[in-house]
Amino acid sequence: MARIAVIGAGMGALAAAARLAVAGHRVAVYERTDTYGGALRRFERDGFSFDTGPGLLPLPAVYRDLFVKTGKEPLEACVELVQVDPSSRHVFADGTAVSLPNASRAGVVAALDEALGAGAGERWGDFLVRAREAWDRTRRPLLEEPLWADWQVLAEREPYPAVPHKRLLRTRRAGTLAEVGAWELRDPRLTALLEGYALAYGLDPRTTPASAAVLPYMEHAFGTWYVRGGMRELARAVYERCLARRVEFHFGADVTAVREKDGRACGIELADGTAVEADFVVAGVAPGVLDGLTAGRGVRAEGEVPPQPAAASRLTVLLALRGARPEGTAHRTVVHAPDREAELAALSGTAAPDTQPTVTVLRPGDPRSAPEGHEAVSLTTVVPARPDGPHDALAERMIAAAERAVPGLRDRLLWQEVLTPADIAQATGAEGGAVPVPALAAAGGRLLHPSNGTRVPGLFTVGGWAHPGGGLPHAGMSGALVAGLIVEGPEFRGSQ
């Protein structure tokens, strides 16, 4: 039985802790804040309740597997999973709107044809077929296996397939999402639909590799899910599973260093000077934090993937509305920006941030989210990862955009709260409130993440800033990978 110290109580760290504990190890989690869940937090006021992190769950199989492997009760016995239908509603710049059924190719094709014109659905359906090919080529190395030692293969090869060009009698391979939209979708609204998946992580579709096609494919193939009572309930369930497996938790425990002996991690040191001995250390913290814990040595192994570009953050506006949610309202509506070029310029800091952004509107319709006869609505947009900025002005523009999805919004408004990148930084420790992106192939490896093993033997990394990257499914898989590497050793090759 090994002693394992886990730094942080984010979702990846919790997943690793539960798996390691059930394998017979003694696991203790040290979290600097007063609660668990990382970005999966909840804001409550006057009987209203809001998720302040991810609002929906793609690929729930990752957490189903976690619960199967760590106890007798399945995930569905611990939380109520609800498949969201429609998966999303989209309001485009020209005023066109379309609701997309959940996990139904035929339904999506029919909805797009009806809303955007004949042929639109077929083009999107053909794109999903190619996206599936990219998914099949990258699913294991990017989600289910430790990062390959020859990761350059993933960096150099674009897994998104080449497409025959009828007029030119040849094939051409899209290198970016923007090229996929221009060459294959050929409709600005379909392009906006596609590019929105990259923009949600602050990625510029003009430079994001075509392999990002796996993001809409995951949602299409595995559905979009909500946890009744809010996504925070998922964090609660994983935390309680850890407690059931006798994982120890120490909240308000600020780790200041990873201790080493004979070139190997041997424990941690807390801010009060307490030294904790451990045979393994699992760090679920952002890269800058980990660098500080390792005395600036860095933890990337030789030949490791290159540093990632600066990540973006999110601005969230929480709205308490009088009046109940109308029957048939979509859980999620994406109101697309009227000027994508201006939006990208504002996000990159090359233009004044006064443009109308793309806004995601979440209206759960969950009786537990608001007093009877009222509604809790959250608005989210992507912003640069820095704590300052014109957040109040942007929040007003977000509300203006949301009125296209929530008629009469301002007349129903009781109060609002604005959550900035500084709030994300406080919850997660990430500099500027940055939000990690999922690992993607191609693009020279700049969207791959550091491997879970480090150059310090006995020290492993977990969570969104480690392989396989950001997003709830990826965080859960990072926990599985770290547990496998510790239990089985470096020969571990992932789930079969």
Side-chain angles (χ1 to χ4, degrees), residues 147-204:
L147 187 66
W148 292 351
D150 58 343
W151 58 268
Q152 291 87 349
V153 175
L154 296 172
E156 296 165 358
R157 294 182 181 175
E158 173 53 72
Y160 187 79
V163 179
H165 193 284
K166 296 179 181 178
R167 292 183 181 178
L168 300 180
L169 299 179
R170 63 179 176 84
T171 61
R172 60 182 177 182
R173 185 183 300 276
T176 67
L177 274 192
E179 289 176 344
V180 172
W183 296 355
E184 301 170 27
L185 300 179
R186 305 189 305 278
D187 184 305
R189 297 162 297 184
L190 289 179
T191 298
L193 174 60
L194 170 63
E195 292 182 348
Y197 288 91
L199 187 65
Y201 290 98
L203 296 174
D204 187 333

Side-chain angles (χ1 to χ4, degrees), residues 6 8-9 26-35 239 247-255 268 270 276:
V6 179
R26 179 180 175 183
V27 184
V29 176
Y30 298 84
E31 166 60 43
R32 65 178 180 83
T33 70
D34 61 357
T35 190
Y239 169 67
V247 174
E248 299 175 11
F249 282 87
H250 304 270
F251 295 107
D254 190 6
V255 177
I268 59 175
L270 304 181
V276 178

